[in-house]
Amino acid sequence: KAGVTQTPRYLIKTRGQQVTLSCSPISGHRSVSWYQQTPGQGLQFLFEYFSETQRNKGNFPGRFSGRQFSNSRSEMNVSTLELGDSALYLCASSLATGLGNTEAFFGQGTRLTVV
Amino acid sequence: AQSVTQLDSQVPVFEEAPVELRCNYSSSVSVYLFWYVQYPNQGLQLLLKYLSGSTLVESINGFEAEFNKSQTSFHLRKPSVHISDTAEYFCAVSSRSGTYKYIFGTGTRLKVLA
């Protein structure tokens, strides 16, 4: 079956702009999580959605937001972009039916560059 | 709160030599443990996981990891590495109480030399 699909793969934006990233999970997976990966901070958890509800949120400013649609596809939005938002944004999907052990399947990521 | 420490940022090793990538964690609650691998310009792939039962877990490509509760460690080992094992390896924990997030270590870059 198809894996986690993230679009676009690469993105260049200017400071102050806003950006929307998309993630299509594996068919049947209702949980979608987002992570930011940078050389300095490593992998940081942004938020997790299950059945259109945000269940957990990391320590990021309010400029970072997300949502999940009824078909489990998810989007994350970053407003008023800053240079420090340049990163690889990874999406992961899982069954996550209430057990923390469910394996997360990651997409290839969207590399965002802010200039 | 949980944290994960990967003690080595880079590990160079010759092909066919054994390797150990170290991972220690800290948590006030019980956790599940994972190792993920990331190849250049790729996402993360699950290598192996410890959920319960036997403390030694193995992957299909020869890696193994042992959960040591007293030392709060989950070191990754392979008896004989190949060039194709060159990648970045991440140790991660996830709370058993279902917080639905992973806490990752900072990663160890394994470089296999010919």
Side-chain angles (χ1 to χ4, degrees), chain B residues 63-94:
Chain B
F63 283 95
E64 64 178 31
E66 186 157 19
F67 169 56
N68 188 317
K69 188 174 181 179
S70 62
Q71 297 185 5
T72 60
S73 67
F74 191 54
H75 301 331
L76 181 69
R77 302 186 188 93
K78 189 171 186 181
S80 176
V81 295
H82 303 286
I83 295 287
S84 59
D85 293 324
T86 295
E88 190 149 23
Y89 293 79
F90 293 91
C91 182
V93 301
S94 175

PDB file of all heavy atoms in Angstrom, chain B residues 63-94:
ATOM      1  N   PHE B  63      20.469  -5.827  12.700  1.00  0.00           N
ATOM      2  CA  PHE B  63      20.623  -4.996  13.893  1.00  0.00           C
ATOM      3  C   PHE B  63      19.880  -5.626  15.071  1.00  0.00           C
ATOM      4  O   PHE B  63      18.889  -6.329  14.888  1.00  0.00           O
ATOM      5  CB  PHE B  63      20.069  -3.587  13.651  1.00  0.00           C
ATOM      6  CG  PHE B  63      20.990  -2.714  12.837  1.00  0.00           C
ATOM      7  CD1 PHE B  63      20.825  -2.603  11.461  1.00  0.00           C
ATOM      8  CD2 PHE B  63      21.987  -1.981  13.446  1.00  0.00           C
ATOM      9  CE1 PHE B  63      21.666  -1.792  10.713  1.00  0.00           C
ATOM     10  CE2 PHE B  63      22.829  -1.156  12.710  1.00  0.00           C
ATOM     11  CZ  PHE B  63      22.660  -1.066  11.338  1.00  0.00           C
ATOM     12  N   GLU B  64      20.363  -5.350  16.255  1.00  0.00           N
ATOM     13  CA  GLU B  64      19.669  -5.761  17.460  1.00  0.00           C
ATOM     14  C   GLU B  64      19.852  -4.682  18.523  1.00  0.00           C
ATOM     15  O   GLU B  64      20.794  -3.886  18.468  1.00  0.00           O
ATOM     16  CB  GLU B  64      20.187  -7.104  17.994  1.00  0.00           C
ATOM     17  CG  GLU B  64      21.628  -7.072  18.447  1.00  0.00           C
ATOM     18  CD  GLU B  64      22.102  -8.400  19.005  1.00  0.00           C
ATOM     19  OE1 GLU B  64      21.615  -9.466  18.553  1.00  0.00           O
ATOM     20  OE2 GLU B  64      22.963  -8.378  19.899  1.00  0.00           O
ATOM     21  N   ALA B  65      18.931  -4.654  19.464  1.00  0.00           N
ATOM     22  CA  ALA B  65      19.033  -3.701  20.562  1.00  0.00           C
ATOM     23  C   ALA B  65      18.554  -4.386  21.829  1.00  0.00           C
ATOM     24  O   ALA B  65      17.666  -5.246  21.785  1.00  0.00           O
ATOM     25  CB  ALA B  65      18.202  -2.454  20.286  1.00  0.00           C
ATOM     26  N   GLU B  66      19.147  -4.013  22.934  1.00  0.00           N
ATOM     27  CA  GLU B  66      18.769  -4.625  24.208  1.00  0.00           C
ATOM     28  C   GLU B  66      18.295  -3.561  25.175  1.00  0.00           C
ATOM     29  O   GLU B  66      18.992  -2.568  25.429  1.00  0.00           O
ATOM     30  CB  GLU B  66      19.937  -5.388  24.817  1.00  0.00           C
ATOM     31  CG  GLU B  66      19.552  -6.158  26.078  1.00  0.00           C
ATOM     32  CD  GLU B  66      20.482  -7.307  26.374  1.00  0.00           C
ATOM     33  OE1 GLU B  66      21.609  -7.305  25.846  1.00  0.00           O
ATOM     34  OE2 GLU B  66      20.074  -8.203  27.127  1.00  0.00           O
ATOM     35  N   PHE B  67      17.118  -3.775  25.718  1.00  0.00           N
ATOM     36  CA  PHE B  67      16.551  -2.876  26.714  1.00  0.00           C
ATOM     37  C   PHE B  67      17.120  -3.226  28.076  1.00  0.00           C
ATOM     38  O   PHE B  67      17.033  -4.371  28.517  1.00  0.00           O
ATOM     39  CB  PHE B  67      15.030  -3.003  26.715  1.00  0.00           C
ATOM     40  CG  PHE B  67      14.352  -2.319  27.874  1.00  0.00           C
ATOM     41  CD1 PHE B  67      14.561  -0.971  28.116  1.00  0.00           C
ATOM     42  CD2 PHE B  67      13.500  -3.029  28.714  1.00  0.00           C
ATOM     43  CE1 PHE B  67      13.935  -0.336  29.182  1.00  0.00           C
ATOM     44  CE2 PHE B  67      12.866  -2.399  29.779  1.00  0.00           C
ATOM     45  CZ  PHE B  67      13.088  -1.051  30.012  1.00  0.00           C
ATOM     46  N   ASN B  68      17.726  -2.255  28.725  1.00  0.00           N
ATOM     47  CA  ASN B  68      18.260  -2.453  30.062  1.00  0.00           C
ATOM     48  C   ASN B  68      17.584  -1.452  30.990  1.00  0.00           C
ATOM     49  O   ASN B  68      17.910  -0.268  30.988  1.00  0.00           O
ATOM     50  CB  ASN B  68      19.780  -2.251  30.063  1.00  0.00           C
ATOM     51  CG  ASN B  68      20.412  -2.634  31.394  1.00  0.00           C
ATOM     52  OD1 ASN B  68      19.879  -2.296  32.453  1.00  0.00           O
ATOM     53  ND2 ASN B  68      21.529  -3.331  31.346  1.00  0.00           N
ATOM     54  N   LYS B  69      16.628  -1.949  31.759  1.00  0.00           N
ATOM     55  CA  LYS B  69      15.824  -1.045  32.580  1.00  0.00           C
ATOM     56  C   LYS B  69      16.648  -0.390  33.686  1.00  0.00           C
ATOM     57  O   LYS B  69      16.493   0.797  33.975  1.00  0.00           O
ATOM     58  CB  LYS B  69      14.647  -1.817  33.192  1.00  0.00           C
ATOM     59  CG  LYS B  69      13.643  -0.931  33.904  1.00  0.00           C
ATOM     60  CD  LYS B  69      12.444  -1.719  34.364  1.00  0.00           C
ATOM     61  CE  LYS B  69      11.432  -0.808  35.049  1.00  0.00           C
ATOM     62  NZ  LYS B  69      10.236  -1.556  35.500  1.00  0.00           N
ATOM     63  N   SER B  70      17.548  -1.153  34.294  1.00  0.00           N
ATOM     64  CA  SER B  70      18.316  -0.604  35.413  1.00  0.00           C
ATOM     65  C   SER B  70      19.256   0.504  34.957  1.00  0.00           C
ATOM     66  O   SER B  70      19.503   1.464  35.686  1.00  0.00           O
ATOM     67  CB  SER B  70      19.102  -1.711  36.112  1.00  0.00           C
ATOM     68  OG  SER B  70      20.032  -2.290  35.218  1.00  0.00           O
ATOM     69  N   GLN B  71      19.771   0.372  33.731  1.00  0.00           N
ATOM     70  CA  GLN B  71      20.672   1.396  33.206  1.00  0.00           C
ATOM     71  C   GLN B  71      19.945   2.374  32.288  1.00  0.00           C
ATOM     72  O   GLN B  71      20.586   3.265  31.725  1.00  0.00           O
ATOM     73  CB  GLN B  71      21.829   0.731  32.454  1.00  0.00           C
ATOM     74  CG  GLN B  71      22.704  -0.141  33.348  1.00  0.00           C
ATOM     75  CD  GLN B  71      23.924  -0.696  32.631  1.00  0.00           C
ATOM     76  OE1 GLN B  71      24.181  -0.366  31.480  1.00  0.00           O
ATOM     77  NE2 GLN B  71      24.671  -1.543  33.314  1.00  0.00           N
ATOM     78  N   THR B  72      18.661   2.201  32.158  1.00  0.00           N
ATOM     79  CA  THR B  72      17.828   3.024  31.256  1.00  0.00           C
ATOM     80  C   THR B  72      18.515   3.214  29.911  1.00  0.00           C
ATOM     81  O   THR B  72      18.718   4.340  29.436  1.00  0.00           O
ATOM     82  CB  THR B  72      17.465   4.392  31.886  1.00  0.00           C
ATOM     83  OG1 THR B  72      18.654   5.124  32.177  1.00  0.00           O
ATOM     84  CG2 THR B  72      16.644   4.211  33.138  1.00  0.00           C
ATOM     85  N   SER B  73      18.894   2.101  29.307  1.00  0.00           N
ATOM     86  CA  SER B  73      19.589   2.155  28.023  1.00  0.00           C
ATOM     87  C   SER B  73      18.900   1.273  26.992  1.00  0.00           C
ATOM     88  O   SER B  73      18.162   0.342  27.329  1.00  0.00           O
ATOM     89  CB  SER B  73      21.047   1.723  28.187  1.00  0.00           C
ATOM     90  OG  SER B  73      21.121   0.346  28.517  1.00  0.00           O
ATOM     91  N   PHE B  74      19.175   1.589  25.748  1.00  0.00           N
ATOM     92  CA  PHE B  74      18.621   0.818  24.627  1.00  0.00           C
ATOM     93  C   PHE B  74      19.631   0.915  23.498  1.00  0.00           C
ATOM     94  O   PHE B  74      19.388   1.501  22.450  1.00  0.00           O
ATOM     95  CB  PHE B  74      17.254   1.386  24.230  1.00  0.00           C
ATOM     96  CG  PHE B  74      16.464   0.519  23.268  1.00  0.00           C
ATOM     97  CD1 PHE B  74      16.207  -0.816  23.544  1.00  0.00           C
ATOM     98  CD2 PHE B  74      15.930   1.058  22.110  1.00  0.00           C
ATOM     99  CE1 PHE B  74      15.466  -1.602  22.677  1.00  0.00           C
ATOM    100  CE2 PHE B  74      15.170   0.289  21.235  1.00  0.00           C
ATOM    101  CZ  PHE B  74      14.950  -1.045  21.518  1.00  0.00           C
ATOM    102  N   HIS B  75      20.801   0.327  23.683  1.00  0.00           N
ATOM    103  CA  HIS B  75      21.891   0.426  22.717  1.00  0.00           C
ATOM    104  C   HIS B  75      21.626  -0.432  21.489  1.00  0.00           C
ATOM    105  O   HIS B  75      21.107  -1.551  21.595  1.00  0.00           O
ATOM    106  CB  HIS B  75      23.211   0.010  23.362  1.00  0.00           C
ATOM    107  CG  HIS B  75      23.589   0.831  24.565  1.00  0.00           C
ATOM    108  ND1 HIS B  75      23.202   2.158  24.724  1.00  0.00           N
ATOM    109  CD2 HIS B  75      24.331   0.518  25.658  1.00  0.00           C
ATOM    110  CE1 HIS B  75      23.682   2.624  25.863  1.00  0.00           C
ATOM    111  NE2 HIS B  75      24.364   1.645  26.455  1.00  0.00           N
ATOM    112  N   LEU B  76      22.042   0.073  20.353  1.00  0.00           N
ATOM    113  CA  LEU B  76      21.863  -0.615  19.075  1.00  0.00           C
ATOM    114  C   LEU B  76      23.190  -1.238  18.659  1.00  0.00           C
ATOM    115  O   LEU B  76      24.225  -0.580  18.720  1.00  0.00           O
ATOM    116  CB  LEU B  76      21.394   0.393  18.013  1.00  0.00           C
ATOM    117  CG  LEU B  76      21.123  -0.141  16.612  1.00  0.00           C
ATOM    118  CD1 LEU B  76      19.882  -1.033  16.604  1.00  0.00           C
ATOM    119  CD2 LEU B  76      20.935   1.020  15.627  1.00  0.00           C
ATOM    120  N   ARG B  77      23.134  -2.490  18.184  1.00  0.00           N
ATOM    121  CA  ARG B  77      24.366  -3.185  17.813  1.00  0.00           C
ATOM    122  C   ARG B  77      24.182  -3.908  16.486  1.00  0.00           C
ATOM    123  O   ARG B  77      23.078  -4.288  16.109  1.00  0.00           O
ATOM    124  CB  ARG B  77      24.753  -4.221  18.868  1.00  0.00           C
ATOM    125  CG  ARG B  77      24.946  -3.695  20.258  1.00  0.00           C
ATOM    126  CD  ARG B  77      25.464  -4.800  21.185  1.00  0.00           C
ATOM    127  NE  ARG B  77      25.480  -4.350  22.564  1.00  0.00           N
ATOM    128  CZ  ARG B  77      24.490  -4.529  23.429  1.00  0.00           C
ATOM    129  NH1 ARG B  77      23.410  -5.182  23.050  1.00  0.00           N
ATOM    130  NH2 ARG B  77      24.588  -4.089  24.668  1.00  0.00           N
ATOM    131  N   LYS B  78      25.315  -4.061  15.796  1.00  0.00           N
ATOM    132  CA  LYS B  78      25.341  -4.923  14.613  1.00  0.00           C
ATOM    133  C   LYS B  78      26.713  -5.582  14.582  1.00  0.00           C
ATOM    134  O   LYS B  78      27.729  -4.891  14.694  1.00  0.00           O
ATOM    135  CB  LYS B  78      25.078  -4.134  13.335  1.00  0.00           C
ATOM    136  CG  LYS B  78      24.871  -5.044  12.121  1.00  0.00           C
ATOM    137  CD  LYS B  78      24.394  -4.298  10.897  1.00  0.00           C
ATOM    138  CE  LYS B  78      24.081  -5.285   9.785  1.00  0.00           C
ATOM    139  NZ  LYS B  78      23.618  -4.621   8.535  1.00  0.00           N
ATOM    140  N   PRO B  79      26.773  -6.905  14.430  1.00  0.00           N
ATOM    141  CA  PRO B  79      28.059  -7.601  14.494  1.00  0.00           C
ATOM    142  C   PRO B  79      28.964  -7.343  13.306  1.00  0.00           C
ATOM    143  O   PRO B  79      30.187  -7.450  13.430  1.00  0.00           O
ATOM    144  CB  PRO B  79      27.656  -9.083  14.578  1.00  0.00           C
ATOM    145  CG  PRO B  79      26.265  -9.148  14.082  1.00  0.00           C
ATOM    146  CD  PRO B  79      25.632  -7.835  14.355  1.00  0.00           C
ATOM    147  N   SER B  80      28.377  -6.997  12.150  1.00  0.00           N
ATOM    148  CA  SER B  80      29.173  -6.791  10.952  1.00  0.00           C
ATOM    149  C   SER B  80      28.451  -5.802  10.050  1.00  0.00           C
ATOM    150  O   SER B  80      27.389  -6.119   9.514  1.00  0.00           O
ATOM    151  CB  SER B  80      29.391  -8.127  10.218  1.00  0.00           C
ATOM    152  OG  SER B  80      30.089  -7.938   9.012  1.00  0.00           O
ATOM    153  N   VAL B  81      29.012  -4.601   9.901  1.00  0.00           N
ATOM    154  CA  VAL B  81      28.306  -3.563   9.143  1.00  0.00           C
ATOM    155  C   VAL B  81      28.693  -3.584   7.668  1.00  0.00           C
ATOM    156  O   VAL B  81      29.764  -4.069   7.290  1.00  0.00           O
ATOM    157  CB  VAL B  81      28.571  -2.159   9.725  1.00  0.00           C
ATOM    158  CG1 VAL B  81      27.996  -2.052  11.124  1.00  0.00           C
ATOM    159  CG2 VAL B  81      30.051  -1.822   9.707  1.00  0.00           C
ATOM    160  N   HIS B  82      27.787  -3.027   6.849  1.00  0.00           N
ATOM    161  CA  HIS B  82      28.016  -2.909   5.419  1.00  0.00           C
ATOM    162  C   HIS B  82      28.013  -1.434   5.035  1.00  0.00           C
ATOM    163  O   HIS B  82      27.457  -0.593   5.763  1.00  0.00           O
ATOM    164  CB  HIS B  82      26.923  -3.658   4.658  1.00  0.00           C
ATOM    165  CG  HIS B  82      26.825  -5.097   5.029  1.00  0.00           C
ATOM    166  ND1 HIS B  82      27.741  -6.037   4.631  1.00  0.00           N
ATOM    167  CD2 HIS B  82      25.920  -5.758   5.786  1.00  0.00           C
ATOM    168  CE1 HIS B  82      27.392  -7.224   5.118  1.00  0.00           C
ATOM    169  NE2 HIS B  82      26.297  -7.082   5.835  1.00  0.00           N
ATOM    170  N   ILE B  83      28.583  -1.161   3.888  1.00  0.00           N
ATOM    171  CA  ILE B  83      28.594   0.220   3.382  1.00  0.00           C
ATOM    172  C   ILE B  83      27.176   0.796   3.379  1.00  0.00           C
ATOM    173  O   ILE B  83      26.957   1.962   3.705  1.00  0.00           O
ATOM    174  CB  ILE B  83      29.191   0.282   1.962  1.00  0.00           C
ATOM    175  CG1 ILE B  83      30.655  -0.125   1.971  1.00  0.00           C
ATOM    176  CG2 ILE B  83      29.013   1.685   1.368  1.00  0.00           C
ATOM    177  CD1 ILE B  83      31.588   0.886   2.566  1.00  0.00           C
ATOM    178  N   SER B  84      26.220  -0.027   3.034  1.00  0.00           N
ATOM    179  CA  SER B  84      24.826   0.425   2.912  1.00  0.00           C
ATOM    180  C   SER B  84      24.201   0.812   4.258  1.00  0.00           C
ATOM    181  O   SER B  84      23.107   1.384   4.288  1.00  0.00           O
ATOM    182  CB  SER B  84      23.968  -0.655   2.264  1.00  0.00           C
ATOM    183  OG  SER B  84      24.019  -1.843   3.040  1.00  0.00           O
ATOM    184  N   ASP B  85      24.867   0.504   5.352  1.00  0.00           N
ATOM    185  CA  ASP B  85      24.362   0.896   6.679  1.00  0.00           C
ATOM    186  C   ASP B  85      24.682   2.347   7.008  1.00  0.00           C
ATOM    187  O   ASP B  85      24.232   2.867   8.041  1.00  0.00           O
ATOM    188  CB  ASP B  85      24.944  -0.008   7.767  1.00  0.00           C
ATOM    189  CG  ASP B  85      24.456  -1.439   7.680  1.00  0.00           C
ATOM    190  OD1 ASP B  85      23.269  -1.633   7.316  1.00  0.00           O
ATOM    191  OD2 ASP B  85      25.255  -2.357   7.952  1.00  0.00           O
ATOM    192  N   THR B  86      25.459   2.994   6.162  1.00  0.00           N
ATOM    193  CA  THR B  86      25.780   4.409   6.377  1.00  0.00           C
ATOM    194  C   THR B  86      24.492   5.228   6.362  1.00  0.00           C
ATOM    195  O   THR B  86      23.753   5.236   5.377  1.00  0.00           O
ATOM    196  CB  THR B  86      26.732   4.917   5.276  1.00  0.00           C
ATOM    197  OG1 THR B  86      27.987   4.231   5.391  1.00  0.00           O
ATOM    198  CG2 THR B  86      26.955   6.416   5.406  1.00  0.00           C
ATOM    199  N   ALA B  87      24.216   5.890   7.475  1.00  0.00           N
ATOM    200  CA  ALA B  87      22.959   6.630   7.644  1.00  0.00           C
ATOM    201  C   ALA B  87      22.988   7.296   9.018  1.00  0.00           C
ATOM    202  O   ALA B  87      23.951   7.147   9.776  1.00  0.00           O
ATOM    203  CB  ALA B  87      21.760   5.689   7.557  1.00  0.00           C
ATOM    204  N   GLU B  88      21.915   7.999   9.333  1.00  0.00           N
ATOM    205  CA  GLU B  88      21.772   8.574  10.663  1.00  0.00           C
ATOM    206  C   GLU B  88      20.740   7.754  11.427  1.00  0.00           C
ATOM    207  O   GLU B  88      19.690   7.409  10.887  1.00  0.00           O
ATOM    208  CB  GLU B  88      21.343  10.036  10.603  1.00  0.00           C
ATOM    209  CG  GLU B  88      21.413  10.738  11.952  1.00  0.00           C
ATOM    210  CD  GLU B  88      21.719  12.215  11.849  1.00  0.00           C
ATOM    211  OE1 GLU B  88      21.471  12.811  10.783  1.00  0.00           O
ATOM    212  OE2 GLU B  88      22.174  12.797  12.862  1.00  0.00           O
ATOM    213  N   TYR B  89      21.053   7.465  12.670  1.00  0.00           N
ATOM    214  CA  TYR B  89      20.214   6.599  13.488  1.00  0.00           C
ATOM    215  C   TYR B  89      19.687   7.389  14.675  1.00  0.00           C
ATOM    216  O   TYR B  89      20.436   8.066  15.371  1.00  0.00           O
ATOM    217  CB  TYR B  89      21.011   5.382  13.958  1.00  0.00           C
ATOM    218  CG  TYR B  89      21.382   4.466  12.818  1.00  0.00           C
ATOM    219  CD1 TYR B  89      22.449   4.769  11.973  1.00  0.00           C
ATOM    220  CD2 TYR B  89      20.650   3.308  12.561  1.00  0.00           C
ATOM    221  CE1 TYR B  89      22.772   3.951  10.907  1.00  0.00           C
ATOM    222  CE2 TYR B  89      20.978   2.478  11.501  1.00  0.00           C
ATOM    223  CZ  TYR B  89      22.036   2.813  10.678  1.00  0.00           C
ATOM    224  OH  TYR B  89      22.355   1.996   9.613  1.00  0.00           O
ATOM    225  N   PHE B  90      18.386   7.280  14.893  1.00  0.00           N
ATOM    226  CA  PHE B  90      17.722   8.007  15.966  1.00  0.00           C
ATOM    227  C   PHE B  90      17.074   7.041  16.946  1.00  0.00           C
ATOM    228  O   PHE B  90      16.328   6.149  16.546  1.00  0.00           O
ATOM    229  CB  PHE B  90      16.640   8.933  15.410  1.00  0.00           C
ATOM    230  CG  PHE B  90      17.171  10.071  14.591  1.00  0.00           C
ATOM    231  CD1 PHE B  90      17.322   9.934  13.225  1.00  0.00           C
ATOM    232  CD2 PHE B  90      17.517  11.272  15.189  1.00  0.00           C
ATOM    233  CE1 PHE B  90      17.823  10.977  12.453  1.00  0.00           C
ATOM    234  CE2 PHE B  90      18.009  12.327  14.446  1.00  0.00           C
ATOM    235  CZ  PHE B  90      18.164  12.177  13.071  1.00  0.00           C
ATOM    236  N   CYS B  91      17.346   7.258  18.206  1.00  0.00           N
ATOM    237  CA  CYS B  91      16.684   6.541  19.279  1.00  0.00           C
ATOM    238  C   CYS B  91      15.485   7.393  19.729  1.00  0.00           C
ATOM    239  O   CYS B  91      15.572   8.634  19.736  1.00  0.00           O
ATOM    240  CB  CYS B  91      17.664   6.351  20.432  1.00  0.00           C
ATOM    241  SG  CYS B  91      17.042   5.444  21.844  1.00  0.00           S
ATOM    242  N   ALA B  92      14.380   6.753  20.077  1.00  0.00           N
ATOM    243  CA  ALA B  92      13.188   7.508  20.473  1.00  0.00           C
ATOM    244  C   ALA B  92      12.409   6.763  21.546  1.00  0.00           C
ATOM    245  O   ALA B  92      12.485   5.534  21.645  1.00  0.00           O
ATOM    246  CB  ALA B  92      12.281   7.756  19.261  1.00  0.00           C
ATOM    247  N   VAL B  93      11.673   7.510  22.348  1.00  0.00           N
ATOM    248  CA  VAL B  93      10.779   6.925  23.337  1.00  0.00           C
ATOM    249  C   VAL B  93       9.380   7.473  23.131  1.00  0.00           C
ATOM    250  O   VAL B  93       9.190   8.559  22.586  1.00  0.00           O
ATOM    251  CB  VAL B  93      11.233   7.218  24.792  1.00  0.00           C
ATOM    252  CG1 VAL B  93      12.628   6.678  25.031  1.00  0.00           C
ATOM    253  CG2 VAL B  93      11.159   8.705  25.105  1.00  0.00           C
ATOM    254  N   SER B  94       8.419   6.692  23.582  1.00  0.00           N
ATOM    255  CA  SER B  94       7.032   7.102  23.529  1.00  0.00           C
ATOM    256  C   SER B  94       6.384   6.630  24.816  1.00  0.00           C
ATOM    257  O   SER B  94       6.548   5.475  25.208  1.00  0.00           O
ATOM    258  CB  SER B  94       6.341   6.477  22.311  1.00  0.00           C
ATOM    259  OG  SER B  94       4.963   6.768  22.314  1.00  0.00           O
TER     260      SER B  94
END
